[in-house]
Amino acid sequence: MGKICILGGGKIGSLIATLLAECGDFEICLGDVDPEVVVRLQKDIGHEHFHVSSVDVQDSRALGKFIESVEPEGIISSLPYYCNLAVGEMARSCGAHYFDLTEDVEVTRGIKDVSEGSQKAFVPQCGLAPGFISIVAHELMTRFDTVDMVKMRVGALPVNPSNVLKYSLTWSTDGLINEYGNMCYGIENGQEVDLLPLEGYETISIDGLLYEAFNTSGGLGTLADTYSGKVRTMNYKTLRYPGHCEKIQLLMNDLKLNDDRETLKRILEKAVPKTLQDVVLIYTSVTGLRKDELFEENFVQKIYPRSIAGKLWSAIQVTTAAGMCSVVDLVFQHPELYRGFVTQETFGLPSILANRFGKLFDPEDSYS
């Protein structure tokens, strides 16, 4: 059995632990700073291959002792982005594979530096966006002789919005603010460029419903680096219900809460409800030439909540955990193929969709 240490037992970490423990091929040791979370997870998961402990990951000595006691072959960080670099360094020192969910560009660059020369896989930006969306876009691009334009759009939205933001908190508030407030990257005229967050506004219709899309940070992953000079235009935008972007601009720019993110976090967590009744929208469009003819290919998917191990999980939990678990599974199956810094586009879309965890991306598949 593969032995995996998961750090963080929140919305995503708990489902990652459930999926990996339930499959029977991994022994899972999870650490979380909150004793109440530890008790809850022990009760909720309660699998013979699952163990949970209380550990403060921001205490380097305590974290080191925990990881030393586990002796993991792989470490999954399901922590806020600002914790990941220290975890990556710990993985390097103990000779373990490393995986995280970060959308933060600078953290990813730090993990790349840490991974240099390692014989183990260091795979940041797992999950949905970045993560699965990069794998989809790369697969579509391989079907063209010359790629002109790549559009990547993802949104996690409440099915029945009831507030002025038309939004619910379905994942990390820190990560959400990070996406809305940090510089974005894309490709224009074949060159990698900086793009302002909350700009590049457009509307898009999917299944007859209208959505808005705008620049957010991190969703492009490493694709801009990989395809700079090879694609004329490439960008990533977040999907929301119309009207959301204008109100977020008011909060972050006009009221200058991008400079006071702790206050913004308190406001959002106090005023915006959570929900398990969400839908994840995945939209990728690639335009280019095949045999000198202009073609377009799309990948469009809507994913809803699922019942897994007797519990209902939101669509964003399902898709993010599926992205992580499928990549972890492939690395453990073929460790000789993945060493050092590994980008999401390294993984083939057919391999992900055929994987036992990747099948969760198929709304028609009855996962069990």
Side-chain angles (χ1 to χ4, degrees), residues 198-217:
L198 307 179
E199 299 294 334
Y201 184 90
E202 65 184 36
T203 58
I204 183 173
S205 180
I206 300 176
D207 289 343
L209 295 177
L210 186 68
Y211 303 93
E212 64 181 22
F214 49 88
N215 298 338
T216 53
S217 178

Side-chain angles (χ1 to χ4, degrees), residues 2-41:
K3 198 169 190 180
I4 294 178
C5 172
I6 299 176
L7 298 174
K11 297 182 184 73
I12 309 301
S14 56
L15 181 52
I16 292 171
T18 298
L19 289 170
L20 293 178
E22 287 282 336
C23 80
D25 291 332
F26 298 99
E27 183 177 353
I28 304 301
C29 298
L30 187 147
D32 193 282
V33 68
D34 189 341
E36 292 184 4
V37 170
V38 170
V39 172
R40 174 176 57 80
L41 291 180

